[in-house]
Amino acid sequence: GQQLNQSPQSMFIQEGEDVSMNCTSSSIFNTWLWYKQDPGEGPVLLIALYKAGELTSNGRLTAQFGITRKDSFLNISASIPSDVGIYFCAGSLIQGAQKLVFGQGTRLTINP
Amino acid sequence: GAVVSQHPSRVICKSGTSVKIECRSLDFQATTMFWYRQFPKQSLMLMATSNEGSKATYEQGVEKDKFLINHASLTLSTLTVTSAHPEDSSFYICSARTGLKKYEQYFGPGTRLTVT
């Protein structure tokens, strides 16, 4: 099935650093969502984006819906240990049904 | 708000038996629920979309007779893995939509199934 290209696959950073990850696709999406998953848990919704160009923040997290509708990025500022986990982008296709397409995930590791 | 629960969180069963996993929306009515499967270090794989009161829509390659889905009410969907085999061992996660935000899905905590 269709997947989003999410990068990087993994990141190893120092506590306090900023983080940036993105998702791209060859298809147009009408919604972008960013989730975080901790080990052994279900994903938790962080940010939802509905309009091209939209920039939304949730605390130290900022995400943008690309102008072309084919990409999105997530930034985390001043990382802390609890930011460790796997981040997934997800989107719904313009011509698609109600289901979401997921990226492969970005595994974030933070060195204290 | 938008809390989804799953039960059980972990289950171990013998090969050939059936296992039922429940997914409940605790503080909202979910007209649509989704069932995903996740292998270690991989992304979520959609298995089926479940609408209340109607038959589930299965993704290509998912055996509907093996993974029985029932969405009997606006707050409960069940996934039954029939005649389980070791290759069915996986992390199963459900999600639900509130209907207010069209594409936002809220996930349950997942169920770890181990078939011996």
Side-chain angles (χ1 to χ4, degrees):
Chain A
Q2 173 132 20
Q3 263 201 323
L4 299 173
N5 297 313
Q6 186 172 349
S7 66
Q9 289 188 347
S10 60
M11 301 183 73
F12 298 86
I13 64 169
Q14 298 293 325
E15 184 177 350
E17 289 185 10
D18 296 342
V19 172
S20 184
M21 60 192 78
N22 68 83
C23 275
T24 61
S25 173
S26 57
S27 300
I28 295 174
F29 285 77
N30 62 13
T31 302
W32 285 93
L33 306 172
W34 285 93
Y35 289 89
K36 177 178 183 263
Q37 184 178 29
D38 292 328
E41 299 289 333
V44 174
L45 180 63
L46 300 174
I47 293 179
L49 302 161
Y50 290 95
K51 297 180 181 179
E54 179 180 357
L55 183 71
T56 298
S57 294
N58 178 6
R60 293 178 296 105
L61 278 61
T62 302
Q64 185 161 30
F65 192 146
I67 290 293
T68 65
R69 292 181 172 270
K70 294 182 179 181
D71 64 320
S72 177
F73 72 74
L74 173 70
N75 289 340
I76 305 173
S77 63
S79 58
I80 60 178
S82 61
D83 292 333
V84 167
I86 303 176
Y87 292 80
F88 290 102
C89 62
S92 62
L93 291 164
I94 288 285
Q95 301 297 331
Q98 54 191 329
K99 59 186 179 182
L100 295 176
V101 177
F102 279 82
Q104 303 96 323
T106 295
R107 182 179 296 269
L108 179 62
T109 302
I110 298 176
N111 299 315
Chain B
V3 180
V4 178
S5 70
Q6 269 183 253
H7 178 79
S9 58
R10 292 176 179 270
V11 57
I12 301 172
C13 70
K14 293 187 176 181
S15 188
T17 61
S18 295
V19 174
K20 180 185 284 188
I21 302 170
E22 292 187 349
C23 177
R24 293 182 184 273
S25 55
L26 298 184
D27 54 358
F28 65 98
Q29 292 185 330
T31 54
T32 306
M33 289 185 170
F34 304 83
W35 286 95
Y36 293 82
R37 184 173 179 177
Q38 187 177 35
F39 292 103
K41 297 187 178 182
Q42 292 192 21
S43 188
L44 288 79
M45 182 186 77
L46 180 64
M47 299 174 66
T49 301
S50 168
N51 289 296
E52 186 265 338
S54 63
K55 291 184 178 180
T57 301
Y58 290 82
E59 293 299 299
Q60 190 173 7
V62 178
E63 299 176 60
K64 62 180 180 181
D65 293 331
K66 180 166 187 61
F67 299 99
L68 300 178
I69 292 173
N70 183 276
H71 194 158
S73 76
L74 287 172
T75 60
L76 174 64
S77 177
T78 61
L79 168 68
T80 301
V81 183
T82 63
S83 187
H85 292 286
E87 57 265 31
D88 298 324
S89 298
S90 191
F91 192 52
Y92 292 88
I93 317 174
C94 71
S95 71
R97 279 184 20 203
T98 65
L100 297 177
K101 296 291 182 70
K102 192 174 183 180
Y103 296 104
E104 292 179 17
Q105 291 182 24
Y106 296 90
F107 286 84
T111 297
R112 172 75 58 193
L113 170 63
T114 303
V115 184
T116 61

